[in-house]
Amino acid sequence: MIEVRELTKRYGGTVALDGLSFTVEPGHVTGFLGPNGAGKSTTMNIALGLHTPTSGDVLLGGRRYTDLEQPLHEVGAMLDAAPAHPGRSALNHLRALARTHRIGRRRVEDLLEQVGLAGVARKKAGGYSLGMRQRLGIAAALLGDPPVLMLDEPVNGLDPDGVRWIRELMRAQAAEGRTVLVSSHLMSELELTADRLVIIGRGRLVADTTMRELAERYGGLERAYMTLTAQDDEYRAHPAGGRP
Amino acid sequence: MTAPADVVAAEWLKARSVRSAPYTAAVVVASVVLSALWVWNVATIADGRPPDDPVTAAASGVYLVMQIVPLAAGVLGVLTITSEYATGTVRATMAAASRGRILGAKAIVVAAAGAVAAVVSLPAASVLGRAIMGDRRVNGFGEPLSELLADGLAVVVAALLGLGLGALLRSTAAAVVAVASLLFVLPGVAGALPGPWGERVGAVLLPNLPAQVGGADDAVLPGAVALAVMVAYAVVAMAAGGLSLHRRDL
């Protein structure tokens, strides 16, 4: 379970998050949506102890990230297109991460097999395509077999087989009772994957509801999103020749 | 939290699995060869002089090793942390264990690497240098054991200096320039300062400290004080880097 509690974050004069509160329950895939600049990345960074909130906090399984004894066994995260050192092989990248928690080589090799990188595991990550790097990031998130998964744009760069694979993976993890939070801009894919949705805008909660409710009320995820975030979209593009 | 020994093992694995490790090792070995060549050059000059007009070597036999290896160690220290920022892996790294443990683990790894570099290069260069020089009379050549040990410590200090500055500045270029300035530029600037200032500033700069620990004739600081100043470089840099890492958003 992920509990975001009255989360506020100010960077100098800008308010990135403004008293944001919501809960992500285990057992279903929860989509995390919002316009660019809404605060999704900031929320996830604070959840993982990478940024310090101005006030409020995020609890993962009832505890703050920095209080977790074995964080990779509690939370698996894939942020920012999962970077790896270009001079290091996928195998060594995962082995180094695994070594902090005494996770063995067998687990690393099984994961590389599972994400489809077994054939290129010893090649340097600098030669990887975007899809391969994504798969490596997903492997890193799954490394500790955590009950909470936080994924930021996991579908980015994956081929159609990969897209379906990650969708089924997320649904399977949720069905096993895990908490799965996936941040994405891909409406069509999210419609197939997520059961619940949290939508934020300008650092505040806009909606916390089910996919079914949005479908009934608005007739689809994209329309629901556009309607709900109309006021909160700071960077909305306009078609050439004037306002929509 | 994640056990310190496991974090150290993970950092050691990271250090071994990138190219900077073998490159640094190659540079260290090359420095021994270059140092021997320099000694051979001085010996050749000495041979060309009449016996009552001996050469004065302005440096000890491990001179070139101490020009090269501290910089290599410092750069390795820098890269150990700044490469994480440059490649974007810093978040994944810091999410696996507490920031203090990770920086501490990196410190152990770079200090050990510095120690290995010193042990591989300094005794070899010293022995080789003496062998090449034989029993020629050259003033100022050769170094007492205490200075040689202090040279070894200086390499370890340089590595930790690089790590601390890298953690503070978070940029490879900025931290490498800072390390290079402390090792090469400031000693030159100190030489240009007026009056006694040049001597005072020069006395506390890292490259000039090992000789003072060894009790050189022109030492300004007592040996124990010089040793403390050397250690202070590493301690202050690591403290500054650690504080910065602890407080900043990643």
Side-chain angles (χ1 to χ4, degrees), chain A residues 137-167:
Chain A
I138 292 160
L142 296 172
L143 197 57
D145 197 21
V148 175
L149 276 176
M150 293 175 58
L151 306 173
D152 189 1
E153 298 290 359
V155 172
N156 190 18
L158 293 180
D159 61 19
D161 177 64
V163 170
R164 189 181 58 170
W165 166 74
I166 189 69
R167 184 196 317 141

PDB file of all heavy atoms in Angstrom, chain A residues 137-167:
ATOM      1  N   GLY A 137      15.498  -1.778 -16.743  1.00  0.00           N
ATOM      2  CA  GLY A 137      14.914  -1.033 -15.638  1.00  0.00           C
ATOM      3  C   GLY A 137      13.812  -1.815 -14.944  1.00  0.00           C
ATOM      4  O   GLY A 137      13.696  -1.786 -13.720  1.00  0.00           O
ATOM      5  N   ILE A 138      13.026  -2.514 -15.731  1.00  0.00           N
ATOM      6  CA  ILE A 138      11.953  -3.329 -15.158  1.00  0.00           C
ATOM      7  C   ILE A 138      12.558  -4.476 -14.355  1.00  0.00           C
ATOM      8  O   ILE A 138      12.090  -4.799 -13.258  1.00  0.00           O
ATOM      9  CB  ILE A 138      11.016  -3.836 -16.275  1.00  0.00           C
ATOM     10  CG1 ILE A 138      10.252  -2.649 -16.863  1.00  0.00           C
ATOM     11  CG2 ILE A 138      10.061  -4.890 -15.746  1.00  0.00           C
ATOM     12  CD1 ILE A 138       9.674  -2.891 -18.228  1.00  0.00           C
ATOM     13  N   ALA A 139      13.608  -5.075 -14.881  1.00  0.00           N
ATOM     14  CA  ALA A 139      14.281  -6.154 -14.148  1.00  0.00           C
ATOM     15  C   ALA A 139      14.786  -5.637 -12.806  1.00  0.00           C
ATOM     16  O   ALA A 139      14.647  -6.307 -11.782  1.00  0.00           O
ATOM     17  CB  ALA A 139      15.443  -6.706 -14.971  1.00  0.00           C
ATOM     18  N   ALA A 140      15.352  -4.443 -12.807  1.00  0.00           N
ATOM     19  CA  ALA A 140      15.863  -3.856 -11.561  1.00  0.00           C
ATOM     20  C   ALA A 140      14.728  -3.626 -10.566  1.00  0.00           C
ATOM     21  O   ALA A 140      14.882  -3.852  -9.369  1.00  0.00           O
ATOM     22  CB  ALA A 140      16.588  -2.538 -11.857  1.00  0.00           C
ATOM     23  N   ALA A 141      13.571  -3.190 -11.061  1.00  0.00           N
ATOM     24  CA  ALA A 141      12.430  -2.953 -10.170  1.00  0.00           C
ATOM     25  C   ALA A 141      11.933  -4.253  -9.553  1.00  0.00           C
ATOM     26  O   ALA A 141      11.528  -4.284  -8.388  1.00  0.00           O
ATOM     27  CB  ALA A 141      11.301  -2.261 -10.931  1.00  0.00           C
ATOM     28  N   LEU A 142      12.005  -5.341 -10.314  1.00  0.00           N
ATOM     29  CA  LEU A 142      11.487  -6.627  -9.838  1.00  0.00           C
ATOM     30  C   LEU A 142      12.493  -7.394  -8.990  1.00  0.00           C
ATOM     31  O   LEU A 142      12.146  -8.402  -8.376  1.00  0.00           O
ATOM     32  CB  LEU A 142      11.094  -7.506 -11.043  1.00  0.00           C
ATOM     33  CG  LEU A 142       9.957  -6.997 -11.917  1.00  0.00           C
ATOM     34  CD1 LEU A 142       9.825  -7.870 -13.159  1.00  0.00           C
ATOM     35  CD2 LEU A 142       8.648  -6.979 -11.152  1.00  0.00           C
ATOM     36  N   LEU A 143      13.711  -6.901  -8.943  1.00  0.00           N
ATOM     37  CA  LEU A 143      14.831  -7.641  -8.347  1.00  0.00           C
ATOM     38  C   LEU A 143      14.534  -8.214  -6.973  1.00  0.00           C
ATOM     39  O   LEU A 143      14.770  -9.389  -6.699  1.00  0.00           O
ATOM     40  CB  LEU A 143      16.050  -6.715  -8.265  1.00  0.00           C
ATOM     41  CG  LEU A 143      17.420  -7.332  -8.054  1.00  0.00           C
ATOM     42  CD1 LEU A 143      17.744  -8.340  -9.127  1.00  0.00           C
ATOM     43  CD2 LEU A 143      18.469  -6.237  -8.020  1.00  0.00           C
ATOM     44  N   GLY A 144      13.998  -7.395  -6.073  1.00  0.00           N
ATOM     45  CA  GLY A 144      13.773  -7.840  -4.706  1.00  0.00           C
ATOM     46  C   GLY A 144      12.411  -8.471  -4.487  1.00  0.00           C
ATOM     47  O   GLY A 144      12.006  -8.695  -3.344  1.00  0.00           O
ATOM     48  N   ASP A 145      11.673  -8.713  -5.577  1.00  0.00           N
ATOM     49  CA  ASP A 145      10.321  -9.274  -5.498  1.00  0.00           C
ATOM     50  C   ASP A 145       9.468  -8.452  -4.520  1.00  0.00           C
ATOM     51  O   ASP A 145       8.883  -8.999  -3.569  1.00  0.00           O
ATOM     52  CB  ASP A 145      10.389 -10.727  -5.039  1.00  0.00           C
ATOM     53  CG  ASP A 145       9.095 -11.478  -5.339  1.00  0.00           C
ATOM     54  OD1 ASP A 145       8.337 -11.017  -6.222  1.00  0.00           O
ATOM     55  OD2 ASP A 145       8.829 -12.486  -4.673  1.00  0.00           O
ATOM     56  N   PRO A 146       9.395  -7.142  -4.730  1.00  0.00           N
ATOM     57  CA  PRO A 146       8.748  -6.283  -3.740  1.00  0.00           C
ATOM     58  C   PRO A 146       7.231  -6.300  -3.830  1.00  0.00           C
ATOM     59  O   PRO A 146       6.686  -6.522  -4.906  1.00  0.00           O
ATOM     60  CB  PRO A 146       9.271  -4.887  -4.129  1.00  0.00           C
ATOM     61  CG  PRO A 146       9.478  -4.962  -5.604  1.00  0.00           C
ATOM     62  CD  PRO A 146       9.879  -6.385  -5.901  1.00  0.00           C
ATOM     63  N   PRO A 147       6.533  -6.047  -2.716  1.00  0.00           N
ATOM     64  CA  PRO A 147       5.075  -5.979  -2.738  1.00  0.00           C
ATOM     65  C   PRO A 147       4.538  -4.678  -3.317  1.00  0.00           C
ATOM     66  O   PRO A 147       3.336  -4.566  -3.575  1.00  0.00           O
ATOM     67  CB  PRO A 147       4.682  -6.108  -1.257  1.00  0.00           C
ATOM     68  CG  PRO A 147       5.870  -5.659  -0.509  1.00  0.00           C
ATOM     69  CD  PRO A 147       7.068  -5.983  -1.332  1.00  0.00           C
ATOM     70  N   VAL A 148       5.418  -3.686  -3.494  1.00  0.00           N
ATOM     71  CA  VAL A 148       4.987  -2.412  -4.071  1.00  0.00           C
ATOM     72  C   VAL A 148       5.832  -2.129  -5.311  1.00  0.00           C
ATOM     73  O   VAL A 148       7.054  -2.197  -5.274  1.00  0.00           O
ATOM     74  CB  VAL A 148       5.166  -1.243  -3.068  1.00  0.00           C
ATOM     75  CG1 VAL A 148       4.827   0.092  -3.726  1.00  0.00           C
ATOM     76  CG2 VAL A 148       4.312  -1.459  -1.834  1.00  0.00           C
ATOM     77  N   LEU A 149       5.148  -1.828  -6.420  1.00  0.00           N
ATOM     78  CA  LEU A 149       5.842  -1.483  -7.656  1.00  0.00           C
ATOM     79  C   LEU A 149       5.443  -0.087  -8.096  1.00  0.00           C
ATOM     80  O   LEU A 149       4.248   0.219  -8.133  1.00  0.00           O
ATOM     81  CB  LEU A 149       5.472  -2.459  -8.777  1.00  0.00           C
ATOM     82  CG  LEU A 149       6.219  -3.777  -8.873  1.00  0.00           C
ATOM     83  CD1 LEU A 149       5.629  -4.611  -9.994  1.00  0.00           C
ATOM     84  CD2 LEU A 149       7.701  -3.570  -9.129  1.00  0.00           C
ATOM     85  N   MET A 150       6.427   0.746  -8.412  1.00  0.00           N
ATOM     86  CA  MET A 150       6.147   2.083  -8.935  1.00  0.00           C
ATOM     87  C   MET A 150       6.858   2.224 -10.261  1.00  0.00           C
ATOM     88  O   MET A 150       8.082   2.190 -10.299  1.00  0.00           O
ATOM     89  CB  MET A 150       6.645   3.149  -7.954  1.00  0.00           C
ATOM     90  CG  MET A 150       5.872   3.141  -6.656  1.00  0.00           C
ATOM     91  SD  MET A 150       6.541   4.284  -5.435  1.00  0.00           S
ATOM     92  CE  MET A 150       6.465   5.799  -6.296  1.00  0.00           C
ATOM     93  N   LEU A 151       6.122   2.343 -11.321  1.00  0.00           N
ATOM     94  CA  LEU A 151       6.718   2.379 -12.652  1.00  0.00           C
ATOM     95  C   LEU A 151       6.331   3.670 -13.359  1.00  0.00           C
ATOM     96  O   LEU A 151       5.162   4.043 -13.395  1.00  0.00           O
ATOM     97  CB  LEU A 151       6.230   1.178 -13.478  1.00  0.00           C
ATOM     98  CG  LEU A 151       6.427  -0.197 -12.835  1.00  0.00           C
ATOM     99  CD1 LEU A 151       5.743  -1.277 -13.669  1.00  0.00           C
ATOM    100  CD2 LEU A 151       7.900  -0.514 -12.689  1.00  0.00           C
ATOM    101  N   ASP A 152       7.340   4.334 -13.923  1.00  0.00           N
ATOM    102  CA  ASP A 152       7.117   5.582 -14.639  1.00  0.00           C
ATOM    103  C   ASP A 152       7.316   5.330 -16.131  1.00  0.00           C
ATOM    104  O   ASP A 152       8.425   5.069 -16.566  1.00  0.00           O
ATOM    105  CB  ASP A 152       8.100   6.639 -14.137  1.00  0.00           C
ATOM    106  CG  ASP A 152       7.785   8.020 -14.669  1.00  0.00           C
ATOM    107  OD1 ASP A 152       6.796   8.173 -15.408  1.00  0.00           O
ATOM    108  OD2 ASP A 152       8.545   8.950 -14.346  1.00  0.00           O
ATOM    109  N   GLU A 153       6.235   5.397 -16.886  1.00  0.00           N
ATOM    110  CA  GLU A 153       6.271   5.169 -18.333  1.00  0.00           C
ATOM    111  C   GLU A 153       6.990   3.867 -18.704  1.00  0.00           C
ATOM    112  O   GLU A 153       7.936   3.874 -19.484  1.00  0.00           O
ATOM    113  CB  GLU A 153       6.947   6.350 -19.058  1.00  0.00           C
ATOM    114  CG  GLU A 153       6.241   7.668 -18.912  1.00  0.00           C
ATOM    115  CD  GLU A 153       4.916   7.738 -19.669  1.00  0.00           C
ATOM    116  OE1 GLU A 153       4.543   6.764 -20.340  1.00  0.00           O
ATOM    117  OE2 GLU A 153       4.243   8.774 -19.579  1.00  0.00           O
ATOM    118  N   PRO A 154       6.552   2.729 -18.188  1.00  0.00           N
ATOM    119  CA  PRO A 154       7.256   1.485 -18.464  1.00  0.00           C
ATOM    120  C   PRO A 154       7.140   1.040 -19.920  1.00  0.00           C
ATOM    121  O   PRO A 154       7.976   0.288 -20.397  1.00  0.00           O
ATOM    122  CB  PRO A 154       6.590   0.476 -17.541  1.00  0.00           C
ATOM    123  CG  PRO A 154       5.229   1.014 -17.290  1.00  0.00           C
ATOM    124  CD  PRO A 154       5.383   2.510 -17.307  1.00  0.00           C
ATOM    125  N   VAL A 155       6.103   1.514 -20.621  1.00  0.00           N
ATOM    126  CA  VAL A 155       5.852   1.038 -21.979  1.00  0.00           C
ATOM    127  C   VAL A 155       6.750   1.740 -23.001  1.00  0.00           C
ATOM    128  O   VAL A 155       6.973   1.234 -24.105  1.00  0.00           O
ATOM    129  CB  VAL A 155       4.353   1.268 -22.322  1.00  0.00           C
ATOM    130  CG1 VAL A 155       4.066   0.976 -23.764  1.00  0.00           C
ATOM    131  CG2 VAL A 155       3.497   0.418 -21.424  1.00  0.00           C
ATOM    132  N   ASN A 156       7.306   2.873 -22.629  1.00  0.00           N
ATOM    133  CA  ASN A 156       8.127   3.696 -23.516  1.00  0.00           C
ATOM    134  C   ASN A 156       9.207   2.890 -24.238  1.00  0.00           C
ATOM    135  O   ASN A 156      10.035   2.257 -23.610  1.00  0.00           O
ATOM    136  CB  ASN A 156       8.776   4.788 -22.658  1.00  0.00           C
ATOM    137  CG  ASN A 156       9.451   5.859 -23.479  1.00  0.00           C
ATOM    138  OD1 ASN A 156       9.178   6.000 -24.661  1.00  0.00           O
ATOM    139  ND2 ASN A 156      10.330   6.609 -22.849  1.00  0.00           N
ATOM    140  N   GLY A 157       9.172   2.881 -25.555  1.00  0.00           N
ATOM    141  CA  GLY A 157      10.246   2.216 -26.301  1.00  0.00           C
ATOM    142  C   GLY A 157      10.075   0.722 -26.504  1.00  0.00           C
ATOM    143  O   GLY A 157      10.876   0.103 -27.211  1.00  0.00           O
ATOM    144  N   LEU A 158       9.046   0.129 -25.917  1.00  0.00           N
ATOM    145  CA  LEU A 158       8.883  -1.320 -26.069  1.00  0.00           C
ATOM    146  C   LEU A 158       8.160  -1.640 -27.373  1.00  0.00           C
ATOM    147  O   LEU A 158       7.280  -0.902 -27.804  1.00  0.00           O
ATOM    148  CB  LEU A 158       8.074  -1.891 -24.894  1.00  0.00           C
ATOM    149  CG  LEU A 158       8.746  -1.838 -23.518  1.00  0.00           C
ATOM    150  CD1 LEU A 158       7.832  -2.431 -22.466  1.00  0.00           C
ATOM    151  CD2 LEU A 158      10.076  -2.563 -23.525  1.00  0.00           C
ATOM    152  N   ASP A 159       8.534  -2.763 -27.972  1.00  0.00           N
ATOM    153  CA  ASP A 159       7.825  -3.203 -29.181  1.00  0.00           C
ATOM    154  C   ASP A 159       6.471  -3.800 -28.761  1.00  0.00           C
ATOM    155  O   ASP A 159       6.239  -4.020 -27.580  1.00  0.00           O
ATOM    156  CB  ASP A 159       8.677  -4.178 -29.994  1.00  0.00           C
ATOM    157  CG  ASP A 159       9.028  -5.446 -29.232  1.00  0.00           C
ATOM    158  OD1 ASP A 159       8.349  -5.763 -28.234  1.00  0.00           O
ATOM    159  OD2 ASP A 159       9.993  -6.119 -29.633  1.00  0.00           O
ATOM    160  N   PRO A 160       5.567  -4.053 -29.733  1.00  0.00           N
ATOM    161  CA  PRO A 160       4.209  -4.505 -29.376  1.00  0.00           C
ATOM    162  C   PRO A 160       4.205  -5.732 -28.471  1.00  0.00           C
ATOM    163  O   PRO A 160       3.388  -5.825 -27.550  1.00  0.00           O
ATOM    164  CB  PRO A 160       3.570  -4.824 -30.738  1.00  0.00           C
ATOM    165  CG  PRO A 160       4.290  -3.928 -31.689  1.00  0.00           C
ATOM    166  CD  PRO A 160       5.693  -3.823 -31.184  1.00  0.00           C
ATOM    167  N   ASP A 161       5.144  -6.633 -28.707  1.00  0.00           N
ATOM    168  CA  ASP A 161       5.226  -7.807 -27.848  1.00  0.00           C
ATOM    169  C   ASP A 161       5.587  -7.381 -26.422  1.00  0.00           C
ATOM    170  O   ASP A 161       5.034  -7.874 -25.451  1.00  0.00           O
ATOM    171  CB  ASP A 161       6.285  -8.766 -28.411  1.00  0.00           C
ATOM    172  CG  ASP A 161       6.458  -9.968 -27.518  1.00  0.00           C
ATOM    173  OD1 ASP A 161       5.490 -10.741 -27.380  1.00  0.00           O
ATOM    174  OD2 ASP A 161       7.543 -10.106 -26.913  1.00  0.00           O
ATOM    175  N   GLY A 162       6.510  -6.438 -26.321  1.00  0.00           N
ATOM    176  CA  GLY A 162       6.931  -5.922 -25.028  1.00  0.00           C
ATOM    177  C   GLY A 162       5.808  -5.172 -24.322  1.00  0.00           C
ATOM    178  O   GLY A 162       5.632  -5.289 -23.109  1.00  0.00           O
ATOM    179  N   VAL A 163       5.034  -4.412 -25.101  1.00  0.00           N
ATOM    180  CA  VAL A 163       3.912  -3.655 -24.529  1.00  0.00           C
ATOM    181  C   VAL A 163       2.917  -4.609 -23.879  1.00  0.00           C
ATOM    182  O   VAL A 163       2.477  -4.409 -22.747  1.00  0.00           O
ATOM    183  CB  VAL A 163       3.211  -2.815 -25.618  1.00  0.00           C
ATOM    184  CG1 VAL A 163       1.916  -2.225 -25.091  1.00  0.00           C
ATOM    185  CG2 VAL A 163       4.141  -1.711 -26.105  1.00  0.00           C
ATOM    186  N   ARG A 164       2.610  -5.681 -24.617  1.00  0.00           N
ATOM    187  CA  ARG A 164       1.648  -6.637 -24.064  1.00  0.00           C
ATOM    188  C   ARG A 164       2.250  -7.357 -22.862  1.00  0.00           C
ATOM    189  O   ARG A 164       1.584  -7.611 -21.869  1.00  0.00           O
ATOM    190  CB  ARG A 164       1.250  -7.646 -25.140  1.00  0.00           C
ATOM    191  CG  ARG A 164       0.087  -8.534 -24.713  1.00  0.00           C
ATOM    192  CD  ARG A 164      -0.283  -9.535 -25.770  1.00  0.00           C
ATOM    193  NE  ARG A 164       0.858 -10.377 -26.102  1.00  0.00           N
ATOM    194  CZ  ARG A 164       0.780 -11.463 -26.846  1.00  0.00           C
ATOM    195  NH1 ARG A 164      -0.385 -11.837 -27.340  1.00  0.00           N
ATOM    196  NH2 ARG A 164       1.849 -12.172 -27.121  1.00  0.00           N
ATOM    197  N   TRP A 165       3.535  -7.662 -22.965  1.00  0.00           N
ATOM    198  CA  TRP A 165       4.209  -8.373 -21.876  1.00  0.00           C
ATOM    199  C   TRP A 165       4.165  -7.559 -20.574  1.00  0.00           C
ATOM    200  O   TRP A 165       3.821  -8.077 -19.514  1.00  0.00           O
ATOM    201  CB  TRP A 165       5.658  -8.668 -22.280  1.00  0.00           C
ATOM    202  CG  TRP A 165       6.529  -9.076 -21.168  1.00  0.00           C
ATOM    203  CD1 TRP A 165       6.538 -10.273 -20.517  1.00  0.00           C
ATOM    204  CD2 TRP A 165       7.516  -8.265 -20.530  1.00  0.00           C
ATOM    205  NE1 TRP A 165       7.477 -10.269 -19.526  1.00  0.00           N
ATOM    206  CE2 TRP A 165       8.085  -9.058 -19.517  1.00  0.00           C
ATOM    207  CE3 TRP A 165       7.983  -6.965 -20.743  1.00  0.00           C
ATOM    208  CZ2 TRP A 165       9.107  -8.563 -18.690  1.00  0.00           C
ATOM    209  CZ3 TRP A 165       8.999  -6.488 -19.925  1.00  0.00           C
ATOM    210  CH2 TRP A 165       9.539  -7.290 -18.913  1.00  0.00           C
ATOM    211  N   ILE A 166       4.469  -6.244 -20.642  1.00  0.00           N
ATOM    212  CA  ILE A 166       4.494  -5.442 -19.429  1.00  0.00           C
ATOM    213  C   ILE A 166       3.091  -5.233 -18.884  1.00  0.00           C
ATOM    214  O   ILE A 166       2.867  -5.217 -17.675  1.00  0.00           O
ATOM    215  CB  ILE A 166       5.258  -4.110 -19.629  1.00  0.00           C
ATOM    216  CG1 ILE A 166       5.460  -3.394 -18.296  1.00  0.00           C
ATOM    217  CG2 ILE A 166       4.550  -3.141 -20.541  1.00  0.00           C
ATOM    218  CD1 ILE A 166       6.406  -4.049 -17.364  1.00  0.00           C
ATOM    219  N   ARG A 167       2.119  -5.144 -19.799  1.00  0.00           N
ATOM    220  CA  ARG A 167       0.728  -4.995 -19.352  1.00  0.00           C
ATOM    221  C   ARG A 167       0.319  -6.234 -18.558  1.00  0.00           C
ATOM    222  O   ARG A 167      -0.244  -6.142 -17.477  1.00  0.00           O
ATOM    223  CB  ARG A 167      -0.178  -4.819 -20.567  1.00  0.00           C
ATOM    224  CG  ARG A 167      -1.645  -4.564 -20.221  1.00  0.00           C
ATOM    225  CD  ARG A 167      -2.568  -4.768 -21.397  1.00  0.00           C
ATOM    226  NE  ARG A 167      -2.059  -4.213 -22.628  1.00  0.00           N
ATOM    227  CZ  ARG A 167      -2.176  -4.799 -23.825  1.00  0.00           C
ATOM    228  NH1 ARG A 167      -2.821  -5.955 -23.939  1.00  0.00           N
ATOM    229  NH2 ARG A 167      -1.683  -4.226 -24.901  1.00  0.00           N
TER     230      ARG A 167
END
